């Protein structure tokens, strides 16, 4: 009875929060909690089938073990691909660093167990590291799953205005990442041919023209009438992309539903930002090259950790403090 009540309560909390405002970071955590508790509830329903529970536990254990062993090496391999294809920038090293960090935690934990008799305090430190690593893994998984869910909400939505967010040029050319956003914007326009398309992006120091101008030319070549395109050529950040574009629409007297287009990995953080800016718009995503996705999601995750650093510091203090507290109690 208790698993059912907990599962239904978590499901209800998530649904209510989701219906009130889907662009909330806490929704991702409640989504994951609801899934876990619902899974435990369904597992409890098989209490009379010992063989089935045994099979489920074995499958879950094997999958978890394989994932734990394969994940760090997959991240390291992805980091090498990013380094080769996308350049030697710190942001392109995130998957590589994440893989090395996981291996470091494994190695430290094994070392702590090996030296537990001579240095018992190492076990305490290792447990603290494992707890906080588990917290980060849970939050990352929750954000990843909810991002996928949120990105599918408005796939067929009609709109009065479509904002395509810039992401940088190669000189005066539209690179593949930005082209995927523009192609998604064209799809949205075909679904709402009466809509206005705002292309948003200023000119960087290494760019020969503004992103907005290059994006407008791309849309015109893709069949979008020039009269349906508005240029916002001042923005240099996602924050400015959203604010300046919405203001441009307001000045032009354009009202109604607004859709912002970015890449799929960037959808949820953009939605959170729009909510924080009190902008009434929804966000949809464009496809991203598969090799780029792991590093991109990690970058979004780090950005959200920094944005909500007070919450994460509090979690770190609490989780890291559990093992020392128990060790101290054991000596009293």
């Amino acid at each position: 009875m208790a698993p059912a009540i907990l599962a239904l309560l978590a499901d209800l909390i998530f649904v209510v929060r989701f219906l009130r405002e889907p662009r909330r970071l806490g929704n991702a955590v409640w989504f994951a909690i609801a899934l876990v508790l619902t899974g435990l509830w369904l597992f409890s329903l098989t209490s009379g089938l010992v063989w089935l529970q045994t099979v489920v536990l074995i499958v879950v254990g094997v999958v978890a073990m394989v994932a734990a062993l394969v994940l760090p090496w997959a991240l390291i391999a992805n980091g090498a691909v990013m380094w080769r294809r996308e350049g030697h920038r710190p942001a392109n090293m995130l998957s590589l660093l994440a893989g090395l960090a996981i291996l470091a935690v494994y190695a430290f934990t094994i070392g702590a167990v090996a030296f537990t008799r001579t240095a018992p305090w190492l076990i305490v430190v290792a447990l603290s590291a494992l707890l906080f690593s588990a917290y980060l893994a849970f939050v990352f998984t929750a954000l990843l799953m909810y991002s996928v869910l949120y990105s599918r909400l408005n796939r067929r939505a009609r709109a009065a205005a479509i904002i395509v967010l810039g992401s940088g040029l190669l000189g005066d050319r539209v690179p593949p990442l930005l082209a995927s956003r523009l192609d998604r914007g064209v799809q949205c326009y075909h679904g709402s041919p009466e809509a206005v398309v705002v292309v948003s992006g200023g000119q960087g120091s290494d760019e020969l023209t503004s992103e907005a101008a290059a994006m407008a030319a791309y849309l015109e070549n893709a069949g979008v009438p020039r009269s349906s395109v508005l240029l916002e050529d001042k923005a240099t950040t996602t924050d400015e992309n959203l604010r300046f574009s919405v203001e441009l629409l307001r000045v032009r007297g354009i009202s109604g539903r607004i859709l912002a287009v970015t890449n799929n990995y960037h959808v949820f953080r953009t939605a959170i930002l729009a909510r924080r800016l009190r902008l009434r718009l929804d966000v949809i995503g464009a496809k991203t090259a598969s090799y780029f996705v792991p590093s991109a999601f990690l970058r979004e995750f780090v950005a959200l950790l920094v944005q909500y650093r007070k919450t994460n510091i509090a979690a770190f203090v609490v989780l890291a403090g559990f093992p020392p507290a128990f060790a101290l109690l054991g000596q009293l």
Side-chain angles (χ1 to χ4, degrees), residues 300-324:
E300 296 298 298
F301 178 59
V302 171
L304 286 171
L305 287 180
V306 172
Q307 184 176 340
Y308 292 88
R309 54 187 175 275
K310 292 183 179 179
T311 301
N312 291 298
I313 290 173
F316 173 76
V317 171
V318 172
L319 293 173
F322 269 125

Side-chain angles (χ1 to χ4, degrees), residues 225-288:
R226 185 66 182 82
S227 58
S228 298
V229 180
L230 295 178
L231 276 68
E232 186 291 295
D233 58 2
K234 303 298 181 184
T236 58
T237 64
T238 302
D239 181 305
E240 293 179 349
N241 284 139
L242 297 175
R243 288 192 294 109
F244 294 173
S245 297
V246 170
E247 177 62 19
L248 178 62
L249 291 171
R250 188 192 66 78
V251 170
R252 295 296 183 96
I254 300 172
S255 59
R257 186 172 193 179
I258 302 174
L259 289 178
V261 180
T262 184
N263 285 91
N264 50 14
Y265 66 84
H266 193 226
V267 166
F268 189 44
R269 186 161 71 92
T270 303
I272 291 174
L273 177 60
R275 176 176 179 265
R276 185 168 62 84
L277 294 173
R278 302 183 184 277
L279 300 177
R280 298 181 62 84
L281 57 83
D282 297 302
V283 189
I284 57 175
K287 292 182 178 179
T288 308

Side-chain angles (χ1 to χ4, degrees), residues 45-317:
L45 295 178
T46 64
S47 57
L49 302 172
V50 178
W51 65 270
L52 181 57
Q53 288 191 335
T54 302
V55 170
V56 171
L57 289 174
I58 291 175
V59 170
V60 171
V62 170
V63 170
M65 186 175 298
V66 171
L69 293 175
V70 172
L71 180 61
W73 300 108
L75 287 171
I76 291 172
N78 178 255
V81 172
M82 285 291 296
W83 187 261
R84 185 175 69 253
R85 294 190 181 185
E86 297 295 328
H88 302 171
R89 294 186 299 165
N92 294 332
M93 296 180 62
L94 284 176
S95 53
L96 173 64
L97 294 175
L100 292 175
I102 293 173
L103 290 179
V105 172
Y106 290 170
F108 183 72
T109 302
I110 294 172
V113 173
F115 290 97
T116 184
R117 292 187 177 181
T118 56
W121 59 271
L122 282 176
I123 289 292
V124 175
V125 177
L127 286 175
S128 296
L130 284 173
L131 282 173
F132 189 63
S133 298
Y135 165 76
L136 291 179
F138 173 78
V139 175
F140 178 77
T141 304
L143 287 172
L144 181 61
M145 292 190 300
Y146 188 74
S147 294
V148 173
L149 173 65
Y150 180 85
S151 65
R152 294 179 177 273
L153 290 179
N154 305 294
R155 296 180 70 175
R156 300 184 183 278
R158 296 180 65 85
I162 301 161
I163 302 171
V164 183
L165 309 185
S167 63
L169 302 175
L170 295 175
D172 59 354
R173 293 187 297 110
V174 172
L177 192 70
L178 182 54
S180 67
R181 298 185 183 187
L182 291 164
D183 291 339
R184 189 73 175 95
V186 172
Q187 292 177 359
C188 294
Y189 176 77
H190 288 159
S192 303
E194 72 286 351
V196 171
V197 182
V198 180
V199 285
S200 177
Q203 182 174 353
S205 58
D206 58 344
E207 296 171 342
L208 301 179
T209 186
S210 70
E211 293 178 41
M215 293 162 72
Y218 185 99
L219 290 179
E220 190 171 358
N221 290 333
V224 178
R226 185 66 182 82
S227 58
S228 298
V229 180
L230 295 178
L231 276 68
E232 186 291 295
D233 58 2
K234 303 298 181 184
T236 58
T237 64
T238 302
D239 181 305
E240 293 179 349
N241 284 139
L242 297 175
R243 288 192 294 109
F244 294 173
S245 297
V246 170
E247 177 62 19
L248 178 62
L249 291 171
R250 188 192 66 78
V251 170
R252 295 296 183 96
I254 300 172
S255 59
R257 186 172 193 179
I258 302 174
L259 289 178
V261 180
T262 184
N263 285 91
N264 50 14
Y265 66 84
H266 193 226
V267 166
F268 189 44
R269 186 161 71 92
T270 303
I272 291 174
L273 177 60
R275 176 176 179 265
R276 185 168 62 84
L277 294 173
R278 302 183 184 277
L279 300 177
R280 298 181 62 84
L281 57 83
D282 297 302
V283 189
I284 57 175
K287 292 182 178 179
T288 308
S290 57
Y291 76 88
F292 195 87
V293 171
S295 182
F297 267 113
L298 283 169
R299 185 167 59 195
E300 296 298 298
F301 178 59
V302 171
L304 286 171
L305 287 180
V306 172
Q307 184 176 340
Y308 292 88
R309 54 187 175 275
K310 292 183 179 179
T311 301
N312 291 298
I313 290 173
F316 173 76
V317 171

